[in-house]
Amino acid sequence: MSLLLRGGTAIDTDPVRVRAADVLVEDGRIAAVAPGLPVPAGAEVVDASGMLVLPGFVDAHRHTWQAGIRAAGPDVTLAGYLDLVLGTLAPRYRPDDVYAGTLAGALECLDAGITTVVDWSHIQHTPDHTAAAIDALHAAGIRAVFGYCVSEPDVATARAALARTGGLVTMAMAPFGPDFVGEEAALREWRLARELDLAVTVHLGVGDATSGDRGLDFLERHGLLRPRTNYVHGNGYGDAALGRIADSGGTVSVSPVVEAGMGFGAPITARALAAGIPTGLGADTVVSGPGDMFSLLRSAYALGRLDPTAGHGLTTTDLLRAATVDGARAAGLAGVGSLRPGDHADLVLLRTDGLGVAPAHDPVGAIVLSMDTRAVDTVVVAGRIVKRDGRLVGVDAATVQARLAMSAARVTAAA
């Protein structure tokens, strides 16, 4: 199949480049980006006039299953979150609840222009829960990295989960340790990742600098401080720790709203970028934060510019890259997040004619500082249009929301 996005303003991200250009998609990949491209025989033409055409956003850290408990803890601290969500609500989740939440959360992403999500799925009470989460990602049609997180991982169940992925859904290990479980349990998680050749996405450095350094020391002692590791949050990391991550080939994911709201500390966006670490953005949890990339971009920009050591160098261009190509690197995905010919055709078309957006003198600045989800006109994943003219394609939203509401009512009853 061929798709020609004609007459828009193309914004590439690697490097950032803004120009009037058409974008041609063939067989799920970007084939060409240039002005005045001819229409291939049989191609669908989308009028992108007056719109920005750019790579779809990448949410580099999200607990997607939590869509049904949105805003259940708007002012919660980390301790309160652990008690409410993991201690009280999560044990009530059945596989059907996991499916309902993950499907709704993934569709929420697509609706907001997020074409790739790292789904850190710590709701896998049984293999049926795991299957429900993966099946929901497939059903949504989003590109996803499924973060496999179980309290007692073993090779057989992990292989079964891995076999269920494929196509747009890949798998990474999402270990609890070493920050939230003991070293022996953490070693089992990380060794399983190595045995199955999985990338790792892990909450580390959430506390003070001492705890952050202790986690990195643990990894280094066991030969686990290596590439294909994404460090989520890292608010306690000093410059030396960030240097160790950079030298190891690791990446960082920042969740600016949740980190600030739960009291993790100042987001490290500016310092991580200054250290040369590919840094992505994530919503983390909609229990106490927004689920759209525009909110994350503005928060990361405002909080990052306050950083007294590195913030003045943080730009809107840096943040756009964090939401796209650097987010893809944090997710461990190649060929995602840019308009380079040959890359996956995951794209978003953003309107610039809305009140509060027009006139968009600086398109990158308009995306980071002015837009919200109302600007998302068209979304493409792997060359397939999944949102057109502001509406998701082939989605019975009423049924999805009704299923989510039933699940939410049950799991939150008398919480």
Side-chain angles (χ1 to χ4, degrees), residues 43-309:
E44 178 180 357
V45 178
V46 175
D47 183 6
S49 301
M51 289 191 268
L52 309 180
V53 182
L54 62 150
F57 298 131
V58 178
D59 186 325
H61 179 70
R62 190 185 192 105
H63 305 302
T64 314
W65 62 271
Q66 295 177 1
I69 50 176
R70 182 186 315 278
D75 303 309
V76 75
T77 62
L78 175 59
Y81 167 85
L82 294 175
D83 179 62
L84 171 65
V85 177
L86 300 189
T88 302
L89 300 180
R92 301 176 181 178
Y93 269 69
R94 305 167 304 188
D96 282 352
D97 301 312
V98 175
Y99 186 93
T102 303
L103 177 62
L107 291 174
E108 172 192 353
C109 287
L110 291 175
D111 194 43
I114 296 168
T115 53
T116 298
V117 63
V118 178
D119 179 22
W120 215 99
S121 186
H122 53 344
I123 190 65
Q124 298 174 60
H125 305 322
T126 69
D128 287 341
H129 287 74
T130 301
I134 297 172
D135 290 352
L137 294 172
H138 282 301
I142 195 169
R143 192 177 302 279
V145 178
F146 176 69
Y148 181 71
C149 178
V150 296
S151 56
E152 292 292 336
D154 64 81
V155 174
T157 55
R159 286 191 185 280
L162 184 59
R164 208 170 189 96
T165 63
L168 296 176
V169 182
T170 56
M171 185 165 126
M173 193 73 191
F176 279 118
D179 262 19
F180 295 96
V181 297
E183 289 196 0
E184 285 304 313
L187 278 176
R188 288 194 295 271
E189 295 175 313
W190 287 75
R191 286 170 176 165
L192 179 58
R194 187 158 54 188
E195 180 174 347
L196 298 181
D197 191 28
L198 296 176
V200 172
T201 172
V202 59
H203 299 81
L204 270 182
V206 177
D208 58 23
T210 301
S211 67
D213 289 340
R214 187 166 58 247
L216 293 179
D217 289 344
F218 163 83
L219 297 180
E220 193 162 38
R221 285 199 316 273
H222 296 286
L224 302 171
L225 191 63
R226 59 187 179 92
R228 300 180 68 206
T229 303
N230 178 247
Y231 299 86
V232 180
H233 304 315
N235 305 81
Y237 285 141
D239 291 343
L242 292 176
R244 295 171 75 181
I245 292 172
D247 291 343
S248 72
T251 61
V252 162
S253 294
V254 173
S255 300
V257 178
V258 167
E259 290 166 13
M262 287 194 188
F264 293 4
I268 63 168
T269 318
R271 292 193 298 114
L273 289 172
I277 303 173
T279 301
L281 299 176
D284 195 334
T285 174
V286 296
V287 168
S288 61
D292 68 284
M293 187 58 68
F294 301 103
S295 296
L296 303 181
L297 284 165
R298 276 191 289 280
S299 300
Y301 180 79
L303 293 168
R305 295 275 290 192
L306 287 173
D307 191 317
T309 60

Side-chain angles (χ1 to χ4, degrees), residues 9-13 15-21 52 320 361-364:
T9 298
I11 303 181
D12 203 352
T13 56
V16 172
R17 181 183 179 188
V18 180
R19 53 180 167 151
L52 309 180
L320 181 63
H361 294 293
D362 183 312
V364 173

